[in-house]
Amino acid sequence: MNPSSSSETFDVVVVGGGPAGATAANDLARQGHHVLLLDRAGRIKPCGGAIPPRLIAEFEIPDHLLVARISSARMVSPSNRDVDMPIDGGFVGMVDREHYDEWLRQRAAEGGAVRRTGTFNRLAREADGTAVMHYERRMDDGSVREDSVRARAVIGADGAVSAVARQCIPEVREIRYVFAYHEIIRSPDRSHPVFDATRCDVVYRGKLSPDFYSWVFPHGPTTSIGTGSACKGFSLRGSVAEFRKAAALDDLETIRREGAPIPLKPLSRWDNGRDVVLAGDAAGVVAPASGEGIYYAMAGGRAAAQAVALFLKTRDAAALATARKTFMRKHGAVFFILGMMQRYWYTNDARRERFVAICRDRDVQQLTWDAYMNKELVRAKPLSHVRIFFKNIAHLTGLAKAA
């Protein structure tokens, strides 16, 4: 490793090239800012890969990135009762993160961002207070050297265990994780007795996940089958092996295995009050209960970009706090409600059984899909909300049967 110094100065350094970082880099570069996008080599996040129509429209995602279109979900209870939830007149797009994330990074580069492969080490300061990012840079010939660049602002979008956050944001100690593990397998053919290439299966069973859920998400020629849990000592690999056997998917080719922590609560602060702001998993913006992260990562990346653009224009560090304020104003209520759902319904199999029973209700299905597809709470149907409220009370008190 050969040390090297750099006199380069960027308006913004974005650390992390996932959906959050790539979105922030693209937005800022296309506004004319000098942007460096730093990303590690060979990183593929374990992810179901679902993206709603609002994301596709809002972030201009082309059709060729959609490897499947899902028209329904099947919820499976601990006793193996299942509930189909069709999407009336719509679909959920599925993407392969290996290709989707790379396309986002390439779009940022086409918009003017400078791409480099490397790993963040630390932030230092020059005498005038300017941030200096030290990193290990991977060269085209495969060698690695120490390098550094100056930055007027830094966006930390480097994942759930963000090195930027650990150094710069004390509130990172608040973060809680679910650990997710999945296996990408070759999708079965149409003769398979259970598998449906147009349906996502979500399984609520304590044996497979004591505090979260397991899933089968089709991606066209491949499929993600996985599980998550925050319980220390729980064998995620063992659970997925058992799940694959139960789903008659154990004899299919395994293409790759991936695991990572997933945060389920936004941090109470995303910026250092000076020149650093977080986005995506680093800021904790993965939806509780569902574990959905791609849309919220990109929305958080855009909010961070807007905050940094304002900071660069005004030189007022208070502008950085607008990233969290903007995001939580739009999505905070959804995160609060999903967090309550997870804390209550995922506690034991008896509650999971009742949770799946609630999903049989057409009002619940319609409002669930409306909220998911449009990424906001639906307020236009007050009578449906009233009916759902009383149905929830009935299930919470045991007055309604789970069967």
Side-chain angles (χ1 to χ4, degrees), residues 179-197:
F179 290 86
Y181 170 77
H182 77 163
E183 297 178 358
I184 299 295
I185 64 174
R186 192 73 60 193
S187 294
D189 58 33
R190 295 182 179 180
S191 65
H192 193 277
V194 179
F195 181 83
D196 183 342

Side-chain angles (χ1 to χ4, degrees), residues 328-364:
M328 296 304 289
R329 184 168 57 248
K330 292 180 179 178
H331 307 294
V334 171
F335 274 62
F336 177 74
I337 290 171
L338 290 176
M340 288 197 305
M341 286 176 55
Q342 181 175 337
R343 286 189 294 273
Y344 184 84
W345 290 116
Y346 292 8
T347 302
N348 55 55
D349 275 355
R351 291 184 180 180
R352 294 184 189 99
E353 198 74 38
R354 293 189 176 278
F355 175 68
V356 173
I358 290 176
C359 294
R360 291 190 180 92
D361 186 270
R362 289 297 299 166
D363 287 330
V364 171

Side-chain angles (χ1 to χ4, degrees), residues 35-72:
V35 178
L36 172 62
L37 176 59
L38 181 73
D39 193 54
R40 293 186 291 120
R43 173 201 52 79
I44 306 173
K45 182 185 174 182
C47 176
I51 60 173
R54 176 167 174 177
L55 183 155
I56 295 170
E58 189 173 324
F59 295 98
E60 300 178 322
I61 303 303
D63 284 347
H64 73 81
L65 288 175
L66 304 183
V67 294
R69 295 171 183 249
I70 299 301
S71 57
S72 70

Side-chain angles (χ1 to χ4, degrees), residues 128-387:
D128 64 358
T130 301
V132 180
M133 184 190 74
H134 294 265
Y135 66 105
E136 294 179 2
R137 180 176 177 181
R138 184 171 295 277
M139 310 305 291
D140 291 341
D141 61 4
S143 64
V144 176
R145 76 179 192 187
E146 294 181 1
D147 211 338
S148 64
V149 295
R150 298 182 183 91
R152 295 172 64 193
V154 176
I155 295 177
D158 49 336
V161 290
S162 164
V164 175
R166 289 200 305 272
Q167 180 179 340
C168 303
I169 313 292
E171 286 76 7
V172 73
R173 294 188 296 267
E174 304 169 355
I175 207 159
R176 293 172 49 249
Y177 302 104
V178 160
F179 290 86
Y181 170 77
H182 77 163
E183 297 178 358
I184 299 295
I185 64 174
R186 192 73 60 193
S187 294
D189 58 33
R190 295 182 179 180
S191 65
H192 193 277
V194 179
F195 181 83
D196 183 342
T198 65
R199 183 190 69 210
C200 287
D201 288 357
V202 182
V203 180
Y204 298 94
R205 188 174 300 148
K207 191 175 182 181
L208 296 176
S209 173
D211 56 345
F212 202 57
Y213 65 81
S214 303
W215 66 85
V216 178
F217 289 170
H219 292 166
T222 64
T223 292
S224 163
I225 179 167
T227 195
S229 176
C231 294
K232 292 183 179 180
F234 181 76
S235 175
L236 297 174
R237 283 178 176 262
S239 173
V240 170
E242 182 177 343
F243 187 22
R244 285 184 64 170
K245 186 175 182 179
L249 299 171
D250 54 324
D251 60 345
L252 296 167
E253 177 190 359
T254 301
I255 298 170
R256 64 178 189 262
R257 298 177 173 88
E258 299 159 350
I262 297 176
L264 293 181
K265 184 178 181 181
L267 294 179
S268 61
R269 185 183 180 105
W270 296 2
D271 69 283
N272 68 344
R274 186 172 187 173
D275 52 9
V276 176
V277 65
L278 305 178
D281 283 12
V285 294
V286 177
S290 69
E292 181 195 358
I294 300 177
Y295 173 79
Y296 294 114
M298 296 181 74
R302 177 152 290 173
Q306 292 169 347
V308 166
L310 181 61
F311 165 69
L312 293 174
K313 179 179 179 180
T314 64
R315 303 305 300 169
D316 182 359
L320 298 173
T322 62
R324 188 182 190 280
K325 291 177 183 176
T326 298
F327 182 92
M328 296 304 289
R329 184 168 57 248
K330 292 180 179 178
H331 307 294
V334 171
F335 274 62
F336 177 74
I337 290 171
L338 290 176
M340 288 197 305
M341 286 176 55
Q342 181 175 337
R343 286 189 294 273
Y344 184 84
W345 290 116
Y346 292 8
T347 302
N348 55 55
D349 275 355
R351 291 184 180 180
R352 294 184 189 99
E353 198 74 38
R354 293 189 176 278
F355 175 68
V356 173
I358 290 176
C359 294
R360 291 190 180 92
D361 186 270
R362 289 297 299 166
D363 287 330
V364 171
Q365 292 186 16
Q366 184 173 0
L367 288 177
T368 296
W369 283 126
D370 283 348
Y372 174 81
M373 306 283 267
N374 299 305
K375 285 293 162 279
E376 59 188 15
L377 294 177
V378 180
R379 298 181 177 87
K381 301 172 183 177
L383 290 179
S384 294
H385 282 285
V386 170
R387 288 196 297 269

Side-chain angles (χ1 to χ4, degrees), residues 6-18:
S6 173
S7 59
E8 289 180 291
T9 299
F10 288 88
D11 293 329
V12 189
V13 171
V14 180
V15 181

